[in-house]
Amino acid sequence: MADQQSEQAGEQEEAEARSAPAARVVYAAVSEQGEDELSRPLSSLFWSAFAAGMAMMASVSASGALHHYLPDASWREAVTSLGYPLGFLIIILGRLQLFTEHTTVAVLPLARRPNLGLAGRVALLWAVVMVGNILGTAAIAALVEYGRVQSQPVLDGMVAVSTKLLERTWAETLMQAIPAGFLVASIAWIRSATEGSGFWIVVAITYGIALCGFAHVVAGAAEAFLLFWHGEAGLAWVLGGFVVPALVGNILGGTGLFAVLAHAQVKDEM
């Protein structure tokens, strides 16, 4: 009897080890990440966000290089999109501050304990991270254009990839930014529910964003500022024609949809 009970206990432990964590456990883990982000000094948040903005140019560089080296075929755009995850991998796996990822995570503590003080801290985190991300993309785009850190053919490929942004209207950018915000926000949730697969989670989700033509405010800002420094677009279009609608759409998708739904599914279990 004792041996049978011991065997059953062992089987139960193995079953628990093999099963996915409960939604409330994942929610608690992601919410704890949000608490950590809200407690960080503003200077740390800014420089982390600035570095993330600069790192995002890696996505544009890789996509531009693929665009340059691939033949002009119907499948070129699908393969070119494989370069898009590179910047996200550097930022997310490197724990840098990316608007729509850590900023969405920071909303969960507010959803659990709504109050004006916490709302102010979340708003301040959003503002600091967003400013840092945008300034980082503007700086690295200027370096790419004027510093000649890329060969001219690759730079031409980067510009060619980026000009697709000019084809969108304000409303199209906003609507196409909603699913991008939702998908990037989901990365923190999925990574907390799995172990050892963060690389492939980031690659799969961000490649899907590029393949579907969705708009991410920071990745798109790197492209938009490259177009600005290259003389293809004005600053008014960069900020008002792309950044603003992409930002609004990402917030709606990441916070208005993902964070709210993530909280709603476990609020009665907490």
Side-chain angles (χ1 to χ4, degrees), residues 84 180 183-184 186-187 190 200-210:
Y84 191 77
L183 290 170
V184 174
S186 73
I187 292 176
I190 299 171
W200 295 112
I201 290 169
V202 176
V203 169
I205 291 178
T206 55
Y207 177 65
I209 291 173

Side-chain angles (χ1 to χ4, degrees), residues 63-84:
S63 298
L66 287 170
H67 184 275
H68 165 63
Y69 289 115
L70 292 171
D72 187 7
S74 60
W75 46 264
R76 181 166 72 171
E77 188 170 343
V79 179
T80 296
S81 297
L82 287 170
Y84 191 77

Side-chain angles (χ1 to χ4, degrees), residues 190-263:
I190 299 171
R191 290 182 65 205
S192 295
T194 59
E195 294 183 5
S197 55
F199 177 90
W200 295 112
I201 290 169
V202 176
V203 169
I205 291 178
T206 55
Y207 177 65
I209 291 173
L211 194 63
C212 295
F214 298 144
H216 185 272
V217 62
V218 182
E223 296 177 320
F225 275 111
L226 182 61
L227 293 175
F228 167 68
W229 296 120
H230 198 69
E232 301 290 329
L235 186 59
W237 174 83
V238 172
L239 299 178
F242 177 78
V243 171
V244 169
L247 175 62
V248 173
N250 284 171
I251 291 174
L252 290 175
T255 301
L257 289 178
F258 187 84
V260 170
L261 292 176
H263 177 71

Side-chain angles (χ1 to χ4, degrees), residues 62-132:
S63 298
L66 287 170
H67 184 275
H68 165 63
Y69 289 115
L70 292 171
D72 187 7
S74 60
W75 46 264
R76 181 166 72 171
E77 188 170 343
V79 179
T80 296
S81 297
L82 287 170
Y84 191 77
L86 182 57
F88 287 92
L89 284 167
I90 296 170
I91 294 166
I92 295 174
L93 299 187
R95 299 289 296 171
L96 298 177
Q97 289 290 330
L98 177 66
F99 197 88
T100 68
E101 197 225 356
H102 287 158
T103 45
T104 299
V105 165
V107 173
L108 296 185
L110 178 61
R112 294 175 65 181
R113 306 187 312 277
N115 62 78
L116 287 178
L118 194 53
R121 287 166 56 196
V122 171
L124 187 58
L125 181 145
W126 279 19
V128 170
V129 171
M130 189 61 204
V131 170

